[in-house]
Amino acid sequence: ELKVEQNPLFLSMQEGKNYTIYCNYSTTSDRLYWYRQDPGKSLESLFVLLSNGAVKQEGRLMASLDTKARLSTLHITAAVHDLSATYFCAVDFGNEKLTFGTGTRLTIIP
Amino acid sequence: KAGVTQTPRYLIKTRGQQVTLSCSPISGHRSVSWYQQTPGQGLQFLFEYFSETQRNKGNFPGRFSGRQFSNSRSEMNVSTLELGDSALYLCASSFQGAYEQYFGPGTRLTVT
């Protein structure tokens, strides 16, 4: 079965702190995506990771992909309130569709 | 360039009715995918169309159907609506399948 698991499901963190969201997937893939979703809104593309060892950074967010471990991480550095949202990872298993993780609801506390 | 557009943005229907949702992809994109998002089931793939052909279908009952037109615009239809069909329906377009999909604003369907 093609599965994508994210953890944690909920994350409450203080401004200025660092934290990591994990995304594990069940079988071989070298295409992984991270999206952000604000309440009531659509999905905003954050990162596209297309090979083993890929690392992308944008502002306080950095994403990496380890295809051998079937693991991607989204690292948040010195969190600010504007980063409060739900973050999804999604994997392309080569079947012309994205399989999404459960999402991580991130709340940044001042 | 213009993004993915979906109409209508909000819809309220009664059980047993049917509904049609529309999606216009980014210009030049030939692949359109549909996803359903609910609090309980999360984001689930419905189907994908490429050049007017359905290439992939998710695990949804036959009440859910779709089509794509020659201009790549797509519609999805849900017949005999059930309360559990209440969801945010997202459309995504790309040049090719799941690679770098761009999502539309979604249609919020409420079934009463």
Side-chain angles (χ1 to χ4, degrees):
Chain A
E1 185 185 359
L2 303 177
K3 291 181 66 175
V4 180
E5 296 181 342
Q6 265 182 259
N7 66 84
L9 296 183
F10 300 94
L11 178 56
S12 181
M13 53 190 292
Q14 287 186 314
E15 278 190 330
K17 299 291 187 182
N18 304 333
Y19 209 82
T20 301
I21 299 171
Y22 297 89
C23 175
N24 294 273
Y25 52 96
S26 59
T27 191
T28 303
S29 173
D30 56 4
R31 290 185 177 182
L32 189 139
Y33 305 84
W34 284 96
Y35 292 91
R36 167 181 172 149
Q37 187 177 41
D38 292 298
K41 305 291 186 181
S42 186
L43 298 174
E44 175 191 351
S45 179
L46 293 175
F47 299 109
V48 178
L49 302 170
L50 301 177
S51 62
N52 185 42
V55 178
K56 297 276 185 77
Q57 183 164 3
E58 180 73 34
R60 300 175 186 274
L61 300 177
M62 182 174 71
S64 65
L65 178 62
D66 181 343
T67 59
K68 294 179 181 178
R70 301 175 192 161
L71 171 68
S72 179
T73 60
L74 180 65
H75 187 71
I76 302 150
T77 301
V80 294
H81 180 70
D82 286 352
L83 291 178
S84 295
T86 299
Y87 293 85
F88 291 92
C89 64
V91 179
D92 175 2
F93 289 111
N95 52 1
E96 304 298 349
K97 67 178 184 179
L98 292 179
T99 302
F100 282 86
T102 50
T104 297
R105 184 177 296 179
L106 174 64
T107 303
I108 309 297
I109 302 168
Chain B
K1 57 184 176 182
V4 180
T5 59
Q6 291 186 245
T7 56
R9 295 292 311 280
Y10 303 91
L11 207 48
I12 299 175
K13 290 286 188 178
T14 305
R15 272 187 307 175
Q17 289 186 314
Q18 75 165 20
V19 67
T20 299
L21 312 182
S22 182
C23 171
S24 292
I26 291 171
S27 178
H29 285 186
R30 295 166 65 189
S31 172
V32 173
S33 299
W34 289 88
Y35 295 86
Q36 181 198 63
Q37 185 177 27
T38 60
Q41 299 299 316
L43 279 152
Q44 294 186 289
F45 172 79
L46 281 156
F47 24 67
E48 188 253 355
Y49 287 88
F50 184 85
S51 294
E52 302 178 66
T53 300
Q54 186 184 89
R55 297 195 299 184
N56 203 350
K57 189 177 191 303
N59 188 25
F60 280 82
R63 301 185 295 108
F64 291 81
S65 63
R67 59 178 175 170
Q68 186 180 35
F69 301 95
S70 59
N71 61 358
S72 294
R73 188 178 70 87
S74 177
E75 290 181 345
M76 67 164 279
N77 184 275
V78 188
S79 62
T80 320
L81 284 166
E82 301 177 359
L83 294 179
D85 297 333
S86 295
L88 179 67
Y89 289 89
L90 293 166
C91 163
S93 79
S94 70
F95 283 113
Q96 174 70 28
Y99 181 66
E100 290 208 73
Q101 292 184 341
Y102 293 85
F103 283 81
T107 295
R108 173 78 61 184
L109 172 64
T110 302
V111 181
T112 62

